[in-house]
Structure formats: structure tokens, C-alpha cells
Amino acid sequence: MARARGVRLLALESVDSTNDEARRLIETGERGPLWVVAARQTGGHGRLGRQWISPPGNLHASLVLSDFGATAIAPQLGFVAGVAALRALRATTEDVGRFALKWPNDLLIEGAKLGGILLENVSAQTGDARAPVASVAIIGIGVNCAEAPKGLPFEARALTSVGPNAPDAARLFSHLSDALVEALDLWRGGEGFAQIRDEWLKHAAYLGAPIRVELPRETIEGRFATIDATGRLILATPSGERMVEAGDVSLGPRRIAAGGVA
Ligand code: BT5
């Protein structure tokens, strides 16, 4: 289906990062829709330049997408991708309850990190004097199909933990690429974000629960109330609602141990 819609595929054995390769292609004129997929990455990364451990057998894929709508709504694409990834995981594992989406960009399996989404935007020349610059999105998706790293500060898990019928990276990708076309159709350049948001919230980890959000300069605690019409996290705190654009979420308030904060 994705191919029928004109989505092309560049499949690589190894690359530093599919997002970085996508960026280089955009810089030389690529406008998508194009998937860049690699069997392994040597310099995969997450948000804020964090490392993304990318052993062979896992899924590493980035979609180059332009003409999706106004630049301001580009952050919504992370939620579109999350919904698509969740649909693909459920379809390929016939599993209904194990997977969850963790704000803003994590894929969870039974609470452990299974994958992540890295959304980046590149300003590109259009060659049109009336609108010379356009935003091209790179939607990067990594899923631990075969192997998950150990020794992280939180638990990571691989899809193989669902059993012998777990999809390999190729099968998951074929569902994911179709699911993303469908989710983009539902989103309709932002007009359908309410439906994407509803579906995202249906599978949201920690919704209604006490959480802790680490921001660059502070950590805030409160109840995860919802996400708003633009995808910001709304935290209910004793001093009122806080809207958070980006941060790292973990469950529960910091435990207060005798004698101080644990
Ligand atoms: C993410 O970042 O979760 C987004 C990851 C996106 C990866 C894809 S793969 C295809 C494309 N090309 C790229 O170069 N990137 C994208 P963030 O929320 O910042 O989480 C990063 C953190 O997750 C790291 O600091 C580690 O703690 C942890 N981590 C690293 N590798 C992991 C893995 N394979 N599985 C689970 N957690 C991992």
C-alpha cells in the first residue's frame, strides 16, 4: 500500500543513522516520501544527541516527508508515528494489551522500552520565490525486534519476548509503512489530529497516574492529566496545571526515604 502511494524505499545494510542519511539526502534535493531503512546503525541517536543502540536485526527506519502542512504542526507527526507503530505492533503480534505509548516518543512493552521515535525537521529550499523555504520532516523509528540493550538506567526489552511468532524487522516494517500511510490519512495535515490524539491517549502509559517529568533545569511532579491539542503533556500539580513541550517522563513521585530524597 505504501508503495502504491508512491512511497519509495532505500534499504541499506549499514549506516551511521537513518535520520542522518535522510538529512543528507534532503540536503541534496530529496523531498520524499522516502523510507531510509538500515539493518544496522553505527551512530544511531535519540533526542538531545543521546545514543540509540542499534544491533543488527532491529528495525531502524526514517521517513522523509514534505508537504505535510504548516511547520508549526510538525510536532504532531510524532504522535501520528506513535499510533502507526502501535497499530503495526498489535497487528503483527496479534496482541492487544502489552504495548503502550509513553509521552513523548517511546514505545513500551509491559512497561519496558521497546523502541523510540525521533522526529526532526529540516528547512529546505523550494525553488519557489513566493515560499522559498519549506519544512521537510524526518520521522525516525527504532524498534528492538531482535535484541535490547542491557545496563540502561531503565528496562529495555526486545520484541522476541512476545514469543516465537514475534515479527522480524522486515515484517514489522512492512506493516509499519502501511500503518503510517493510514495514520497520515487520518491526520490529514493536522485536521484529524483529534482522532490521532484520542487513539494515542487510549494507549498512553501512565495516564492519570503520578509522574515525574525531567526538564533541562528542573524536575516537576504531578498527575498525567492528558495531552493538549498540540501534543503537549498536561500535568496536574498542587499549584495548578503545567504544560510541558518536551521532557523525560518516569512513573511516580520521587520516593521519600527516611532522612531525605531517595
Ligand atoms: C528515542 O530517544 O527514544 C528515539 C530513538 C529513535 C531511534 C531511531 S532508529 C532510526 C532513526 N535513526 C536514528 O539515528 N534514530 C532513529 P530518547 O527518548 O532520547 O531515548 C534515548 C535513550 O534510550 C538512550 O539515552 C538510552 O538510555 C536508551 N536506549 C538507547 N538505545 C536503546 C534501545 N535500543 N532500546 C531501548 N532503549 C535504548
Side-chain angles (χ1 to χ4, degrees), residues 185-234:
D185 283 351
L186 188 62
W187 180 61
R188 298 188 310 279
E191 271 177 51
F193 183 62
Q195 282 147 284
I196 292 290
R197 176 179 172 269
D198 284 354
E199 189 168 335
W200 194 96
L201 283 168
K202 221 186 271 172
H203 301 286
Y206 315 156
L207 190 63
I211 56 168
R212 200 164 76 232
V213 188
E214 279 168 50
L215 306 174
R217 283 191 192 78
E218 58 171 335
T219 297
I220 49 179
E221 290 175 358
R223 192 176 52 81
F224 178 7
T226 190
I227 58 170
D228 73 5
T230 59
R232 289 176 299 193
L233 180 142
I234 308 294

Side-chain angles (χ1 to χ4, degrees), residues 16-27 30-31 34-36 41 43-52 61-79 81 104-105 116-124 134-142 180 187:
D16 50 357
S17 146
T18 53
N19 267 46
D20 291 355
E21 181 65 18
R23 180 183 296 272
R24 288 189 289 267
L25 291 169
I26 293 167
E27 281 161 5
E30 177 63 56
R31 295 293 176 263
L34 171 76
W35 277 107
V36 180
Q41 298 186 120
H45 52 88
R47 290 177 295 146
L48 308 168
R50 294 163 180 153
Q51 185 191 15
W52 185 256
S62 301
L63 179 70
V64 174
L65 189 70
S66 46
D67 300 328
F68 52 81
T71 305
I73 58 163
Q76 295 179 1
L77 287 168
F79 297 91
N105 66 341
I117 294 163
L118 177 65
L119 182 66
E120 297 185 296
N121 273 292
V122 181
S123 295
S135 183
V136 184
I138 305 171
I139 306 172
I141 303 175
L180 194 49
W187 180 61

